[in-house]
Amino acid sequence: DQQVKQNSPSLSVQEGRISILNCDYTNSMFDYFLWYKKYPAEGPTFLISISSIKDKNEDGRFTVFLNKSAKHLSLHIVPSQPGDSAVYFCAASHAGSGYALNFGKGTSLLVTP
Amino acid sequence: DAGVIQSPRHEVTEMGQEVTLRCKPISGHNSLFWYRQTMMRGLELLIYFNNNVPIDDSGMPEDRFSAKMPNASFSTLKIQPSEPRDSAVYFCASSFGQGAEKLFFGSGTQLSVL
């Protein structure tokens, strides 16, 4: 049962524009959310996170928004750069699971020049 | 730090053979996780250890899969006997503390079972 869902398998954006990646979750116990970025032939790397007590967290060009009532979060990348082309995984966890991460299936982002 | 080290990077084997995947976590990290990535299911947690003790193995597909962590610097994931449906990328990850707030992943082992 997929508790974290990324419904868009792929996204293409022009360089300099905003990329918006979406994620939905079903388990209301999740209280910590993360985004990971993955290049081919490499493991995922941590990008940004947000606690359920916040609704926004920003780190440079990357901002994560959390809407708890809708069980939805999104990652905004502004401005998008070709080096951002990768697969982005949304993940969620809660204390009751020992904070083991539940991942979505990923969204492949392509930023074109 | 060298990061999480996994071996081998690629493994091709025949159905029925035993497969052993290896992982060296980052020094000082006390939580270790094994994940499997497939197109159909994405990244699935198989098992995780805290202080070398298995905490949750509910993600292990079946009895053919087993994992051990004999010490803080080494873990194995074994599949015996292997089947074609086990073909996937297997990732090991480690973190500091009981949580998995920020996992550090290895580069993965691409397993192909023919």
Side-chain angles (χ1 to χ4, degrees), chain A:
Chain A
D1 181 29
Q2 201 82 19
Q3 298 185 62
V4 177
K5 300 178 183 179
Q6 294 176 257
N7 292 320
S8 298
S10 62
L11 175 67
S12 183
V13 172
Q14 204 167 18
E15 181 178 6
R17 308 293 289 267
I18 183 172
S19 295
I20 300 177
L21 294 90
N22 293 303
C23 177
D24 297 291
Y25 60 96
T26 58
N27 190 339
S28 58
M29 293 179 65
F30 287 145
D31 57 10
Y32 199 76
F33 305 89
L34 308 89
W35 286 93
Y36 278 77
K37 177 179 178 180
K38 184 185 180 303
Y39 292 116
E42 295 182 9
T45 55
F46 170 75
L47 185 59
I48 192 170
S49 63
I50 187 167
S51 165
S52 60
I53 63 174
K54 295 185 176 181
D55 55 17
K56 176 183 174 182
N57 188 27
E58 189 172 353
D59 183 2
R61 296 186 296 112
F62 302 91
T63 303
V64 56
F65 295 92
L66 175 62
N67 182 335
K68 285 180 292 185
S69 61
K71 294 190 176 67
H72 177 83
L73 63 155
S74 61
L75 174 68
H76 292 211
I77 307 173
V78 183
S80 301
Q81 299 174 354
D84 296 329
S85 298
V87 177
Y88 290 79
F89 289 97
C90 173
S93 70
H94 63 88
S97 69
Y99 284 104
L101 293 181
N102 287 270
F103 283 89
K105 291 185 179 181
T107 296
S108 179
L109 173 66
L110 176 65
V111 181
T112 57

Side-chain angles (χ1 to χ4, degrees), chain B residues 72-85:
Chain B
S73 59
F74 184 66
S75 176
T76 59
L77 178 67
K78 186 175 293 186
I79 309 172
Q80 165 65 6
S82 57
E83 296 182 3
R85 60 193 168 120

Side-chain angles (χ1 to χ4, degrees), chain A residues 1-2 32 34 36 38 41-46 49 89 93 97-105, chain B residues 9 33 35 37 39-43 45 48 56 91 98-108:
Chain A
D1 181 29
Q2 201 82 19
Y32 199 76
L34 308 89
Y36 278 77
K38 184 185 180 303
E42 295 182 9
T45 55
F46 170 75
S49 63
F89 289 97
S93 70
S97 69
Y99 284 104
L101 293 181
N102 287 270
F103 283 89
K105 291 185 179 181
Chain B
R9 288 297 306 271
F33 304 77
Y35 281 87
Q37 184 188 14
M39 290 292 292
M40 289 294 293
R41 302 177 67 86
L43 272 167
L45 176 65
Y48 79 94
D56 184 357
F91 288 103
Q98 188 174 4
E101 290 88 350
K102 295 177 187 177
L103 293 187
F104 291 84
F105 282 81
S107 298

